[in-house]
Amino acid sequence: MTARPPVPLSDEEIAAVRSWVLHEDAHVLVLNKPAGLSSQGGRIRAHTLDDLLWAFMRSNGKRPELVHRLDRDTSGVILAAKTKPAAGFLGKALQARKLDKIYRALVAAAPEPRSGAIDAPLLRQEIGRESYMRVAAPDAPGAQPSLSRYRTLSASEEGALVELEPKTGRMHQLRVHMASIGRPLVGDARYGGALTFAGRPAPRLMLHAARLTFPHPDGGRLTVEAALPADFAALMEAAGLQEPAKASGAFP
């Protein structure tokens, strides 16, 4: 699937990426990406998740390829295709918005209203060497229609746990949309998020890809979930927040 030569990996790197596997079959590989690891590219001189996929190289010299990306500081479920036909199938499914993604995030206070939809076009801006997104008027040149849904799962005087669903796939979409309603994500310095939560420093952007449902190349749909990581759970506990055993109700 790629002409690039294999990236040499240490035994520790191979063991680490293999420990992140949530689901694997002949067609797909689903991983639980840790925070702090770039999906692809980037300027940090370290292996990306894309590089680490060489740990799954097949006998024909090919390795899985990522179907979508997560921001470097976002943890959770990420999907890769193990074969060229699977990559084509899943790429088309992504373009057709047939991948359903559910996220968990921490905010400094529960949104008002507690649940809703954010329908706000986004525009990409380059500031120096960094890329940003901002809410823009629908008729602004380059503005892309963007829709997110949110609901509050748990709230206390210290903050809230929210569930987020992006219905479009714009860069930084959930981060910018939540900031646009006055609830930037905890740890998101770029878009105005608080850097402390429940009296503790936020170790990173507190955003976790909790669940992914997608059409499988063999037919049907597959749902894969990733439990909240330790740093996320620790801040929730400090704030007296609890993740529901099963989220009740539906998005608006």
Side-chain angles (χ1 to χ4, degrees):
M1 293 171 64
T2 178
R4 289 198 299 151
V7 173
L9 303 175
S10 68
D11 291 343
E12 291 77 10
E13 287 174 320
I14 292 171
V17 70
R18 288 189 175 277
S19 75
W20 304 335
V21 175
L22 296 170
H23 173 85
E24 183 177 10
D25 59 42
H27 304 283
V28 301
L29 177 68
V30 189
L31 301 171
N32 185 5
K33 187 188 83 68
L37 176 67
S38 295
S39 296
Q40 295 175 313
R43 299 192 305 274
I44 297 176
R45 299 180 64 85
H47 285 152
T48 64
L49 180 59
D50 200 40
D51 295 330
L52 295 176
L53 291 180
W54 284 107
F56 302 93
M57 183 173 64
R58 305 195 304 279
S59 58
N60 62 2
K62 304 297 175 65
R63 50 92 186 188
E65 300 234 344
L66 292 175
V67 174
H68 63 112
R69 300 177 63 166
L70 293 175
D71 291 345
R72 185 172 70 89
D73 283 336
T74 301
S75 55
V77 183
I78 192 167
L79 174 64
K82 293 181 67 175
T83 66
K84 189 172 183 179
F89 174 87
L90 292 169
K92 291 178 181 177
L94 180 68
Q95 289 182 337
R97 299 179 184 172
K98 293 180 179 179
L99 273 66
D100 296 327
K101 305 170 185 177
I102 299 295
Y103 291 77
R104 299 279 192 268
L106 296 177
V107 292
E112 293 295 342
R114 290 290 184 104
S115 63
I118 306 170
D119 187 357
L122 296 177
L123 181 65
R124 184 168 181 152
Q125 287 187 315
E126 305 295 330
I127 302 177
R129 299 175 66 185
E130 299 291 339
S131 296
Y132 293 78
M133 298 293 276
R134 67 174 178 85
V135 170
D139 58 354
Q144 297 176 305
S146 305
L147 176 64
S148 303
R149 299 193 294 182
Y150 72 89
R151 61 178 170 180
T152 303
L153 298 180
S154 180
S156 72
E157 292 184 357
E158 301 286 355
L161 170 69
V162 293
E163 184 171 84
L164 308 173
E165 182 183 21
K167 302 304 290 184
T168 48
R170 314 304 180 198
M171 183 183 83
H172 300 172
Q173 175 177 319
L174 296 175
R175 298 163 63 182
V176 178
H177 271 173
M178 291 303 291
S180 76
I181 63 168
R183 296 296 186 270
L185 305 189
V186 171
D188 192 358
R190 178 171 295 198
Y191 295 111
L195 301 184
T196 59
F197 188 75
R200 299 186 179 190
R204 54 141 173 139
L205 167 70
M206 303 312 294
L207 180 63
H208 176 69
R211 184 166 74 247
L212 177 67
T213 302
F214 59 93
H216 193 278
D218 266 347
R221 289 175 67 81
L222 181 66
T223 296
V224 182
E225 299 188 20
L228 292 173
D231 60 353
F232 200 115
L235 282 191
M236 278 180 53
E237 182 178 4
L241 302 174
Q242 293 187 332
E243 185 179 26
K246 187 174 182 62
S248 60
F251 280 107

